[in-house]
Amino acid sequence: MAAPSEEAIKQFSALMEQLEEPLKTTFQHVHQGYPRGTLVRFLKAREWNVLKAHKMLMDSLNWRLQNEIDTVLAKPILPPDLYRSIRDTLLVGLTGYSKQGQPVYAFGVGLSTFDKASVHYYLQSHIQMNEYRDRVVLPGASEMFGKQINTCLKVMDMTGLKLSALNQIKMLSTITAVDDLNYPEKTETYYIVNAPYVFSACWKVVKPLLQERTKKKIKVLSGPGRDELLKVMDYQTLPHFCKREGSGSSSDEVDCYSYDHPFHQQLYNFVKQQAQSQDTVGPLKQGSMHVKVPTPDLEEAKIMQTIESELQNLRGGGDGMSRSFNRITIEGP
């Protein structure tokens, strides 16, 4: 596979050398000085098909231009109380680093409600976290561990996931579409913990639809998964919901989701400083970004339809389910 891989990278690189402004500058924001790594990520996402990977990357660069993603880290979510509300309802945080140096992110899937702000604000916050990871966290990890680190680990806590949580699943599908098409292959492994029956039922029907490459990335652990996770990270890096058997949280631990956690304070202050350095006249402006969500590929669309169908089966179906599922509007003002 080595020779075909190198040939694919060489062909892809030749295509990208033809870039002109402003796509050229946008590509520099994406690869952060390591274009080869970016090309490999997009090639992996398209099974090493050069033409498909090139189209995917070009679509992503145009998406970045159209939605001003290069300057998203200079657009703070204001006022701070709104950002605090987002942190309380989109539960994600950085807990530390794995034994191999990868940043470890915790994600409270089941308890994220996405009900304190518009979809646009949640999406803006998520994209800011992605860009901060790529521009600050990963370069910092590379310097800290003395080697190039391009991926992270994610621990997904399913505590609280219910059949009635279709709005959350819809929002998660939006986030997934953005990540899959614009930030491919940035997560090495997804660890699923505290999975209730509703997750297990959906996973049973979704797993056969996934590509083998994707299946290998997802590890469903028993309970909070503490023993398995300790093989790849130290105890202090474990998310709080993994440290106690039979509990989704631990009251004596710092909540990595919190607005007051050092990671979120650093991120928020970084964005405010970037905004102030770019606009020294007048107060910082309020208002969300209206990011156009990329159209999911056929595989992802089929997966979402399968999840919806399975949840309907578990609840016995009914029009009320469809109304709940369709309540969130992704595009528009």
Side-chain angles (χ1 to χ4, degrees):
M1 184 67 184
S5 298
E6 286 301 322
E7 181 60 28
I9 295 169
K10 183 178 178 180
Q11 293 175 16
F12 198 176
S13 180
L15 289 173
M16 296 309 294
E17 287 175 1
Q18 301 172 21
L19 279 182
E20 298 181 354
E21 296 294 355
L23 289 172
K24 186 174 181 179
T25 296
T26 297
F27 183 46
Q28 291 170 350
H29 279 108
V30 173
H31 67 62
Q32 293 290 302
Y34 297 94
R36 178 187 170 90
T38 297
L39 300 184
V40 169
R41 288 193 297 108
F42 280 81
L43 281 166
K44 285 182 178 179
R46 288 297 177 262
E47 303 298 327
W48 293 90
N49 183 304
V50 175
L51 294 180
K52 290 182 178 179
H54 179 252
K55 182 182 184 305
M56 182 186 186
L57 180 50
M58 293 302 295
D59 287 346
S60 178
L61 295 180
N62 281 298
W63 173 80
R64 293 179 69 91
L65 284 177
Q66 293 163 7
N67 295 282
E68 301 180 347
I69 303 300
D70 290 346
T71 58
V72 70
L73 287 179
K75 298 176 180 178
I77 294 174
L78 298 170
D81 284 347
L82 175 59
Y83 187 72
R84 183 184 292 274
S85 295
I86 291 172
R87 294 278 58 83
D88 290 341
T89 52
L90 169 53
L91 304 181
V92 61
L94 179 69
T95 67
Y97 299 86
S98 73
K99 293 177 181 179
Q100 297 299 316
Q102 296 131 315
V104 176
Y105 287 89
F107 194 174
V109 178
L111 296 175
S112 291
T113 56
F114 305 104
D115 61 353
K116 297 297 183 183
S118 72
V119 172
H120 301 294
Y121 276 118
Y122 285 113
L123 195 53
Q124 177 179 346
S125 177
H126 177 74
I127 292 172
Q128 285 179 334
M129 203 163 297
N130 280 353
E131 293 291 316
Y132 188 75
R133 174 199 63 202
D134 294 349
R135 302 189 208 181
V136 178
V137 176
L138 288 172
S142 299
E143 183 176 352
M144 188 188 315
F145 289 89
K147 61 181 180 180
Q148 189 62 35
I149 295 174
N150 298 312
T151 61
C152 65
L153 305 180
K154 291 183 180 178
V155 185
M156 318 289 280
D157 181 22
M158 297 295 166
T159 299
L161 187 66
K162 300 176 182 178
L163 287 172
S164 59
L166 278 175
N167 277 349
Q168 289 93 311
I169 293 173
K170 184 68 173 180
M171 186 67 229
L172 289 172
S173 72
T174 301
I175 288 173
T176 300
V178 168
D179 287 355
D180 286 350
L181 297 176
N182 299 286
Y183 303 93
E185 302 296 322
K186 297 299 292 190
T187 301
E188 181 172 299
T189 308
Y190 297 87
Y191 295 98
I192 310 297
V193 302
N194 298 318
Y197 173 75
V198 61
F199 172 83
S200 301
C202 290
W203 177 240
K204 184 177 180 180
V205 296
V206 166
K207 187 176 180 180
L209 303 178
L210 300 176
Q211 295 179 3
E212 197 61 35
R213 173 178 52 83
T214 304
K215 290 180 188 177
K216 290 179 180 178
K217 285 186 175 187
I218 301 174
K219 299 185 182 299
V220 182
L221 306 183
S222 175
R226 181 176 57 192
D227 293 342
E228 286 298 312
L229 291 172
L230 285 174
K231 296 176 182 178
V232 296
M233 64 188 72
D234 294 331
Y235 183 83
Q236 60 265 31
T237 299
L238 280 178
H240 60 280
F241 49 78
C242 296
K243 290 185 176 180
R244 288 186 175 180
E245 293 289 346
S247 174
S249 62
S250 178
S251 59
D252 59 350
E253 296 288 341
V254 176
D255 187 351
C256 67
Y257 301 146
S258 171
Y259 168 85
D260 298 312
H261 188 273
F263 167 70
H264 287 297
Q265 285 293 298
Q266 291 164 10
L267 168 56
Y268 194 59
N269 288 333
F270 180 89
V271 175
K272 288 195 297 182
Q273 290 167 5
Q274 292 294 306
Q276 290 166 349
S277 67
Q278 291 193 16
D279 186 4
T280 57
V281 180
L284 296 178
K285 297 179 181 179
Q286 298 186 24
S288 65
M289 293 175 60
H290 285 206
V291 175
K292 180 176 174 58
V293 179
T295 302
D297 58 28
L298 292 177
E299 179 190 25
E300 184 181 333
K302 185 175 182 180
I303 289 170
M304 286 309 303
Q305 291 172 359
T306 302
I307 292 174
E308 179 182 6
S309 175
E310 181 64 17
L311 289 173
Q312 287 176 335
N313 290 337
L314 291 171
R315 290 193 60 183
D319 291 339
M321 182 64 110
S322 296
R323 286 195 297 269
S324 174
F325 187 77
N326 291 320
R327 193 176 303 157
I328 287 183
T329 300
I330 300 304
E331 295 186 38

